[in-house]
Amino acid sequence: MGGDMKKIEKKIKALYRAFFITNDINPKTGEVKEYGFKTWKFASYPFIGSNYGDKGCKKILFVGLDLGKDESRGRILGFKEKREVVESMHNHIKTMNPNMSGTYITSIYFLQNWFFSNRWGLIKKSRSYKEGVRIFNINLLSFIALINLYKFVTKNRKRRSGGENRKHIFGKEKELQLLLDEIEVFNPDILIFQSRDFLNQKYHCFFKELKKAFKDMKLFIAPQPAYHGPRSPLHYLSRLKRK
């Protein structure tokens, strides 16, 4: 178990290490020298589920916009700690935020044939993300991975809402290349971008290059679940758009 996870961790860490050296980022704290170590920081490594790529399951990679909050307490949040935080949400569904609930429901949809195809009808009847998640006892969060387009947050940021951290502080082309390199490492079967912002024309060349590099990968763009509102999971899933 977790063979793919460990290989991916090693490759991602090497990818980021090179990026840190090139852009003078402190590898322990994530602080950016260009901004005098005062404003911006790289806060967290990606979330890689402990079963990502195992049991012959489809590999699902979600790409969000930004972290929205600095949870790393003066350092970079490591793979293990990030995994413990995200996977533990399965046992605390009542407190799961709308974004993770929507992500979970989407995972159930794409992995239903591996675990519970005969129970998918129950999801259709559920009135909310959380109600749908409660139906199953398998922690599907362990079978997915999560990354973000924008890698940096303002230090000690506590508010998740708002777009002030949605900036390419090292330039759009350089950071989109980093994202492309990450996707190559994860090598997903299904790639889901979770924001309508990705429909913006400025990402046209990026998606063109992405589809050229990964011809067999299924690519979707979906609304960010937290902004979708308290609607049924089925209504949300109907808004998944194949790119």
Side-chain angles (χ1 to χ4, degrees), residues 39-40 66 68-69 150 152-154 157-169:
T39 308
W40 292 92
D66 60 52
K69 185 178 180 180
Y150 298 100
F152 300 89
V153 296
T154 48
R157 183 186 178 193
K158 292 180 170 56
R159 281 183 69 248
R160 287 191 179 277
S161 60
E164 61 262 35
N165 282 171
R166 295 170 192 169
K167 297 177 182 177
H168 295 294
I169 64 175

Side-chain angles (χ1 to χ4, degrees), residues 54-60 107-118 138 140 143 189-190 218:
D54 286 355
K55 297 186 178 181
C57 286
K58 292 287 185 182
K59 292 183 286 187
I60 305 175
S107 303
I108 291 173
Y109 174 75
F110 282 111
L111 293 175
Q112 59 180 292
N113 292 335
W114 275 266
F115 297 106
F116 27 62
S117 58
N118 61 334
I138 298 171
L140 288 193
F143 286 89
D189 299 296
I190 299 170
K218 293 181 179 178

Side-chain angles (χ1 to χ4, degrees), residues 65-161:
L65 282 178
D66 60 52
L67 290 166
K69 185 178 180 180
D70 181 10
E71 298 176 328
S72 51
R73 299 183 292 279
R75 56 188 172 80
I76 296 175
L77 200 65
F79 291 110
K80 183 179 179 181
E81 188 176 358
K82 181 90 168 184
R83 187 157 44 248
E84 288 173 351
V85 169
V86 175
E87 291 190 5
S88 68
M89 292 181 185
H90 173 78
N91 299 317
H92 301 90
I93 292 171
K94 288 184 179 179
T95 58
M96 189 182 286
N97 64 46
N99 183 49
M100 286 308 302
S101 298
T103 296
Y104 207 137
I105 286 292
T106 309
S107 303
I108 291 173
Y109 174 75
F110 282 111
L111 293 175
Q112 59 180 292
N113 292 335
W114 275 266
F115 297 106
F116 27 62
S117 58
N118 61 334
R119 302 183 69 190
W120 178 246
L122 297 173
I123 286 288
K124 294 181 180 180
K125 297 177 183 178
S126 57
R127 294 166 295 180
S128 68
Y129 296 146
K130 291 181 182 180
E131 182 180 311
V133 170
R134 288 192 189 101
I135 294 170
F136 305 104
N137 57 9
I138 298 171
N139 190 350
L140 288 193
L141 295 175
S142 70
F143 286 89
I144 66 172
L146 309 170
I147 60 177
N148 289 290
L149 167 61
Y150 298 100
K151 311 294 186 188
F152 300 89
V153 296
T154 48
K155 291 170 67 174
N156 302 314
R157 183 186 178 193
K158 292 180 170 56
R159 281 183 69 248
R160 287 191 179 277
S161 60

Side-chain angles (χ1 to χ4, degrees), residues 225-242:
Y227 292 108
H228 179 65
R231 302 177 188 176
S232 71
L234 195 63
H235 187 277
Y236 174 71
L237 289 170
S238 70
R239 301 183 72 191
L240 278 171
K241 301 298 181 184
R242 185 79 178 265

Side-chain angles (χ1 to χ4, degrees), residues 4-18 45-46 48 79 178 181-182 184-187:
D4 277 10
M5 177 195 75
K6 290 297 183 183
K7 291 177 184 177
I8 291 170
E9 280 186 7
K10 187 175 180 180
K11 290 180 179 179
I12 290 292
K13 202 161 189 177
L15 182 65
Y16 282 164
R17 190 181 298 120
Y45 284 107
I48 309 169
F79 291 110
L178 177 62
D181 292 340
E182 274 187 293
E184 184 176 2
V185 171
F186 279 99
N187 191 28

